[in-house]
């Protein structure tokens, strides 16, 4: 393994993606390479922020709700099937009760059908969101582990810190932020690629999260940096406010 190869392992080392042999060789290399040591520290911190950014705290009281509902679920009594357990009576009153029972069953089935359809749609939406989140996380990890991944950190307004990781080979960039203040009501932080002063849309930040990782949308090619502006909810085609932050991409 050459020195050039070792210089390219900073991202993989930060993500614990090296084999035992590569890990040992790279750690020996780190002891004498200040540039790799600094970049590895930055990528390791960025990876930690990514983990915090995608973590989700379960709602308060969820465990108690689940345990309480378990105790309220009725189990069927062993023995005869429900159809055999029904007593069959004759006469007008029995027929009237049967009609009422049939009507109730049909109403219940209709309501249940609507509820089932709604639950199915909710489940499908949840699966779609989970797939999208998994894909984004995989792409973020791929940028961090890219051999040519380079990082740049900067202080932002309000004491927040931002780190951008760029892989020219993958033509993608990831922005990590920590301690970002919430935008004004009805507003959102929008990210932009800075192409010599011309801003190109690169995605939106989650206004509900102060710590997050965002895979910038679009190609890095042609951009020398990125910017953040405050835009109306849903974003804008072009900036409508002065940037709250500007960062140049690492070379």
């Amino acid at each position: 393994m050459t020195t050039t190869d070792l210089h390219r392992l900073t991202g993989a080392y930060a993500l614990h993606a090296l084999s035992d042999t590569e890990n040992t060789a790279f750690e020996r290399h780190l002891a004498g390479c200040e540039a790799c040591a600094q970049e590895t520290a930055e990528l390791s911190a960025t990876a930690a922020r990514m983990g915090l950014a995608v973590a989700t705290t379960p709602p308060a009281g969820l465990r108690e709700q689940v345990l309480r509902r378990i105790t309220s679920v009725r189990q069927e009594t062993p023995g005869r099937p429900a159809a055999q357990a029904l007593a069959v009576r004759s006469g007008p009153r029995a027929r009237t009760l049967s009609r009422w029972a049939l009507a109730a069953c049909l109403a219940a089935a209709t309501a249940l059908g609507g509820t089932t359809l709604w639950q199915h749609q909710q489940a499908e939406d949840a699966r779609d969101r989970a797939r999208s989140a998994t894909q984004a996380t995989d792409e973020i990890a791929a940028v961090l582990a890219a051999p040519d991944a380079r990082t740049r950190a900067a202080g932002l307004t309000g004491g927040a810190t931002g780190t951008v990781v760029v892989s020219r080979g993958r033509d993608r960039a990831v922005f990590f932020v920590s301690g970002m203040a919430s935008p004004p009501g009805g507003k959102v932080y929008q990210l932009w690629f800075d192409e010599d002063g011309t801003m190109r849309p690169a995605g939106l930040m989650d206004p509900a999260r102060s710590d997050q990782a965002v895979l910038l949308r679009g190609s890095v090619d042609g951009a020398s940096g990125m910017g953040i502006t405050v835009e109306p909810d849903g974003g804008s085609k072009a900036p409508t406010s002065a940037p709250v932050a500007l960062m140049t991409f690492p070379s």
Side-chain angles (χ1 to χ4, degrees):
M1 186 178 297
T2 66
T3 302
T4 302
D5 293 332
L6 290 169
H7 284 310
R8 294 175 178 173
L9 295 181
T10 53
Y13 180 80
L15 294 178
H16 307 286
L18 297 179
S19 66
D20 291 341
T21 301
E22 291 172 328
N23 196 74
T24 300
F26 185 74
E27 287 182 345
R28 283 199 300 264
H29 171 73
L30 275 182
C33 182
E34 184 178 348
C36 282
Q38 180 178 350
E39 186 164 298
T40 298
E42 292 175 350
L43 286 172
S44 296
T46 300
R49 291 194 194 103
M50 182 180 74
L52 291 173
V54 300
T56 301
T57 303
L62 177 61
R63 180 176 182 274
E64 288 72 16
Q65 291 178 22
V66 172
L67 293 176
R68 185 170 59 251
R69 290 181 182 179
I70 288 175
T71 61
S72 65
V73 175
R74 297 181 59 185
Q75 297 184 359
E76 290 190 12
T77 303
R80 293 176 302 171
Q84 296 178 7
L86 294 176
V88 180
R89 298 184 179 182
S90 59
R93 179 174 173 76
R95 286 193 293 273
T96 301
L97 290 174
S98 297
R99 286 196 294 271
W100 279 108
L102 178 59
C105 289
L106 289 174
T110 301
L112 181 60
T115 301
T116 302
L117 180 61
W118 178 82
Q119 290 175 337
H120 174 73
Q121 186 60 52
Q122 291 292 103
E124 284 296 316
D125 291 344
R127 279 193 286 268
D128 289 342
R129 290 194 297 271
R131 281 193 289 266
S132 297
T134 299
Q135 181 179 358
T137 301
D138 290 344
E139 292 181 3
I140 289 172
V143 173
L144 291 182
D148 66 337
R150 296 293 179 267
T151 68
R152 175 156 292 167
L156 308 179
T157 58
T161 57
T163 301
V164 61
V165 182
V166 179
S167 169
R168 298 285 180 180
R170 298 190 69 87
D171 199 23
R172 302 306 297 270
V174 179
F175 178 65
F176 297 86
V177 66
S178 177
M180 194 75 169
S182 299
K187 301 287 186 177
V188 67
Y189 290 118
Q190 185 164 356
L191 304 178
W192 306 87
F193 284 113
D194 184 357
E195 298 179 335
D196 296 326
T198 299
M199 295 297 189
R200 172 164 52 94
L204 304 176
M205 293 174 58
D206 184 344
R209 308 191 71 166
S210 60
D211 300 341
Q212 56 188 290
V214 184
L215 180 71
L216 272 63
R217 189 184 65 215
S219 170
V220 173
D221 187 38
S224 58
M226 59 165 288
I228 308 172
T229 61
V230 178
E231 301 296 332
D233 192 20
S236 305
K237 293 183 179 179
T240 63
S241 65
V244 297
L246 288 171
M247 295 178 65
T248 57
F249 285 158
S251 56

